[in-house]
Amino acid sequence: MTRVFSGIKPTGHLTLGNYLGAVRQWAEVAQHRTDALFCVVDMHALTVDHDPARVRRLSRQAATLLLASGLDPELCTVFVQSQVDEHARLSYVLECVATDGEARRMIQYKEKAAREPRATHPKVGARVMNLQEPASKMGKTDDVGPGIVYLLDEPDVVRKKIMRAVTDSGREVVYDRVARPGLANLLEILAACEGGNPEDLSGVYESYGALKKDTAEAVVELLRPVQQRHKELCADPAYVEEVLRLGAEKARGMARPRVDAAYRAIGLLAG
């Protein structure tokens, strides 16, 4: 079975872009069709200046939101990166003994490099843009809120942000990602929420206001079950911790034989 592996870095609160571009696809497709592993990549959050308490808080929140978004521990493996020691074990060995230049001289490396992991993206909503700066992605590390819809934003906050979204100087509602990026972003968000096509939707609206109103309501309804399930999971932290514990245990079992083989090959004593 094809294996899928992906994760979320806890450097900020998860956004609508994270959900439409990745997490919803994991829940609706990947975990049902593949051997899927999803993690909170908390160790990657240490590469920049950070507050330890905030990393812990955001890591726990991200894991809870993954489960609230529909990831089922009976169907996939959900864990926190730092709780699987094999990642750091193998990373250190590779940093000590392997450089890309050396590896590229090996035929085996060249062959393996040609079977790189393949990313899959939804047809619509793969890249949700900032509502105030439509040339920039809606990133979770940007803690300036007006252009970013967070998964835990209250409905009225979501409505306000979308109703204030930057559009364009024209009046006609048309879908053109190059010439009308702000408008195209709203059409893509609405299409992703409702399973439609942004080009088809552009012909439905005669005003920006009507489009913004429908987009805001679509996003509110999309996030409603996620927020409700998140609230339920927050009331049962022991369940979330157990899911992460079992997920890490399973991931370690999958990774350990490969890492142990690498340690033997490099000359380290078996533990």
Side-chain angles (χ1 to χ4, degrees), residues 89-90 92-98 102 258-270:
R89 288 178 60 204
L90 185 58
Y92 182 78
V93 168
L94 291 176
E95 288 177 1
C96 288
V97 303
E102 291 174 324
R258 181 64 57 88
V259 178
D260 287 348
Y263 268 47
R264 290 192 299 270
I266 209 65
L268 298 177
L269 295 175

Side-chain angles (χ1 to χ4, degrees), residues 140-158:
K140 63 180 181 294
T141 54
D142 303 324
D143 280 335
V144 285
I148 305 169
V149 175
Y150 297 104
L151 294 190
L152 295 179
D153 276 346
E154 293 290 334
D156 284 347
V157 174
V158 173

Side-chain angles (χ1 to χ4, degrees), residues 17 20 37 56 59 62 66 77 80 94 96 106 155 161 164 171 196 213 217 233 245 247 260 264 266:
L20 292 178
L37 298 95
R56 281 192 293 270
S59 296
L66 290 181
T77 304
V80 176
L94 291 176
C96 288
M106 299 173 58
K161 288 180 177 180
R164 294 179 177 177
R171 295 183 177 180
K213 183 177 179 181
E217 293 307 317
L233 290 170
R245 185 187 69 79
D260 287 348
R264 290 192 299 270
I266 209 65

Side-chain angles (χ1 to χ4, degrees), residues 63-234:
T64 305
L65 278 170
L66 290 181
L67 297 175
S69 298
L71 293 189
D72 184 346
E74 297 295 323
L75 299 175
C76 65
T77 304
V78 182
F79 64 100
V80 176
Q81 181 187 32
S82 62
Q83 295 178 357
V84 179
D85 298 341
E86 281 68 22
H87 177 91
R89 288 178 60 204
L90 185 58
S91 176
Y92 182 78
V93 168
L94 291 176
E95 288 177 1
C96 288
V97 303
T99 66
D100 186 65
E102 291 174 324
R104 287 186 181 278
R105 293 198 293 267
M106 299 173 58
I107 295 177
Q108 299 94 324
Y109 180 84
K110 293 179 180 178
E111 292 175 345
K112 292 289 185 182
R115 294 190 299 276
E116 292 180 358
R118 181 172 58 88
T120 57
H121 304 286
K123 293 181 179 179
V124 179
R127 189 175 175 85
V128 177
M129 312 307 283
N130 189 296
L131 296 174
Q132 293 297 316
E133 301 176 16
S136 303
K137 188 180 73 169
M138 186 182 286
K140 63 180 181 294
T141 54
D142 303 324
D143 280 335
V144 285
I148 305 169
V149 175
Y150 297 104
L151 294 190
L152 295 179
D153 276 346
E154 293 290 334
D156 284 347
V157 174
V158 173
R159 293 186 182 101
K160 184 180 295 185
K161 288 180 177 180
I162 293 179
M163 293 303 295
R164 294 179 177 177
V166 169
T167 49
D168 306 286
S169 57
R171 295 183 177 180
E172 186 180 4
V173 179
V174 294
Y175 179 68
D176 188 329
R177 296 189 69 181
V178 177
R180 315 283 287 277
L183 194 58
N185 190 38
L186 290 174
L187 287 166
E188 289 183 355
I189 291 173
L190 179 58
C193 290
E194 298 185 342
N197 184 301
E199 293 182 354
D200 294 339
L201 287 173
S202 65
V204 174
Y205 294 94
E206 296 182 355
S207 71
Y208 291 171
L211 171 62
K212 288 182 175 182
K213 183 177 179 181
D214 281 2
T215 302
E217 293 307 317
V219 172
V220 167
E221 291 306 312
L222 181 76
L223 298 184
R224 192 183 303 280
V226 176
Q227 294 178 351
Q228 178 58 39
R229 180 58 177 153
H230 176 265
K231 187 180 298 184
E232 295 169 358
L233 290 170
C234 286

Side-chain angles (χ1 to χ4, degrees), residues 4-8 22 26 36-41 66 71 77 79:
V4 166
F5 175 81
S6 195
I8 290 286
W26 301 347
L37 298 95
F38 303 110
C39 77
V40 178
V41 284
L66 290 181
L71 293 189
T77 304
F79 64 100

Side-chain angles (χ1 to χ4, degrees), residues 9-14 40 42 45 50-65 80 143 152 230 234 240-241 244:
K9 186 163 61 172
T11 50
H13 301 288
L14 268 61
V40 178
D42 56 341
H50 64 280
D51 172 43
R54 187 170 188 268
V55 171
R56 281 192 293 270
R57 184 173 67 254
L58 290 177
S59 296
R60 194 172 293 110
Q61 183 188 87
T64 305
L65 278 170
V80 176
D143 280 335
L152 295 179
H230 176 265
C234 286
V240 177
E241 293 297 327
L244 296 178

